[in-house]
Amino acid sequence: MASELARIIQDGRRIVFFGGAGTSTESGIPDFRSGGGLYRRGTGTRYRPEEVLSHSFFVRHTAEFFDYYRSHLLYPDAVPNPAHLALARLEQRGALTAVVTQNIDGLHQAAGSRNVLELHGSVHRNTCLRCGRGYGLDAILTADGVPTCACGGVIKPDVVLYEEGLDPAVLDAAVDQLARADTLIVGGTSLSVYPAAGLIRSFAGDQLVLINKEATGYDGLATLVLHEPIGRTLAAAVP
Ligand code: NAD
């Protein structure tokens, strides 16, 4: 089966990767929905993770939001794993045109990928809500409590919270990449977060590959389904 993946990748002229949290679990960043995922761990408060990571919670309980965000969503020491590195190699060889990711960790770029469409934003970009000044991750990590700008405004991470819309420009670019791809590799995503998951319907090519430890609602549509760890699987297929 793994050699079938290698063959599909070898034949691909416009490959797109669409990924989620499972792409980064082998870098030590937990996903949301599997056994050790963030949803199973709770928040240590009376709120559920989905509530804490919502726009209205951010507005009403900003300090609690940052407590949870800092302790559960930021992994500044994480490094790319073999999955990120294999995808960067594929792009360098001219076979992969884009990585479309639901992840916010920046590990595809750290691995060397260049065309990365971050549907849910990035922990590495942060903006003052009052004056618009941009900050890096350090501003969030080193702040005591709510991170604030020199102007006194709250600095908000450029990550898409529940109740917030996706950036239309990123969404359009992702749809365009998927529509023009001949091969789509979907990996490490439960395909349950919308509208991101619905994007794969824009794919009109021949080869749809799913690499996910657990079954997803899209398994029946794929040419090849691999319920395997993504790092080892992609590394073997892209030597
Ligand atoms: P999810 O938690 O819903 O699903 C992850 C899927 O990956 C699961 O089905 C799991 O079986 C699979 N998986 C886990 N480790 C794997 C591995 N090593 N190899 C293959 N499959 C593996 O994640 P999602 O679908 O991305 O949706 C969750 C949302 O949470 C996304 O919007 C994402 O932005 C956000 N999130 C991001 C990060 C990150 O940036 N690293 C981490 C947690 C959550």
Side-chain angles (χ1 to χ4, degrees), residues 11-18 95-98 100 173-185 200 202-208:
D11 290 347
R13 292 291 166 267
R14 289 192 64 91
I15 302 172
V16 169
F17 177 78
F18 178 87
L96 180 140
T97 58
V100 180
V175 167
D176 180 59
Q177 284 290 344
L178 283 162
R180 292 194 290 140
D182 58 22
T183 304
L184 176 61
I185 303 172
I200 71 170
S202 311
F203 174 64
D206 292 332
Q207 305 286 356
L208 171 62

Side-chain angles (χ1 to χ4, degrees), residues 21 25-26 32-33 102 104-105 120 189-190 212-213 230:
T25 53
E26 292 168 53
F32 270 178
R33 288 174 186 79
Q102 299 165 82
I104 56 177
D105 54 37
H120 294 162
T189 170
S190 62
N212 205 61
K213 279 187 176 171
I230 192 164

Side-chain angles (χ1 to χ4, degrees), residues 22-229:
T23 311
S24 292
T25 53
E26 292 168 53
S27 295
I29 302 180
D31 63 12
F32 270 178
R33 288 174 186 79
S34 51
L38 293 176
Y39 281 169
R40 306 278 170 95
R41 296 186 195 181
T43 61
T45 70
R46 64 196 165 95
Y47 304 105
R48 288 173 296 118
E50 304 93 302
E51 281 177 278
V52 175
L53 295 173
S54 69
H55 181 81
S56 46
F57 192 92
F58 175 85
V59 172
R60 284 193 215 117
H61 307 281
T62 313
E64 289 93 329
F65 168 89
F66 277 109
D67 279 350
Y68 180 77
Y69 180 78
R70 251 190 227 104
S71 54
H72 289 82
L73 273 89
L74 299 183
Y75 297 85
D77 299 328
V79 294
N81 67 53
H84 301 105
L85 296 168
L87 293 165
R89 283 199 294 281
L90 263 188
E91 186 186 35
Q92 276 147 22
R93 292 174 195 169
L96 180 140
T97 58
V99 167
V100 180
T101 182
Q102 299 165 82
N103 290 350
I104 56 177
D105 54 37
L107 290 183
H108 286 293
Q109 292 92 331
S113 286
R114 297 165 73 104
N115 192 21
V116 182
L117 300 168
E118 296 174 307
L119 296 169
H120 294 162
S122 172
V123 299
H124 296 284
R125 294 187 297 272
N126 302 276
T127 308
C128 170
L129 292 176
R130 188 183 291 172
C131 72
R133 178 170 165 191
Y135 288 87
L137 181 54
D138 267 1
I140 309 295
L141 287 171
T142 57
D144 202 12
V146 177
T148 45
C149 180
C151 80
V154 172
I155 302 171
K156 181 178 180 291
D158 291 357
V159 303
V160 179
L161 300 176
Y162 288 98
E163 305 162 356
E164 292 179 344
L166 274 55
D167 180 335
V170 178
L171 207 48
D172 284 355
V175 167
D176 180 59
Q177 284 290 344
L178 283 162
R180 292 194 290 140
D182 58 22
T183 304
L184 176 61
I185 303 172
V186 179
T189 170
S190 62
L191 291 171
S192 56
V193 176
Y194 284 82
L199 266 183
I200 71 170
R201 294 202 201 95
S202 311
F203 174 64
D206 292 332
Q207 305 286 356
L208 171 62
V209 179
L210 296 187
I211 309 169
N212 205 61
K213 279 187 176 171
E214 302 160 341
T216 73
Y218 287 78
D219 282 13
L221 298 178
T223 333
L224 177 66
V225 179
L226 299 170
H227 292 154
E228 306 282 348

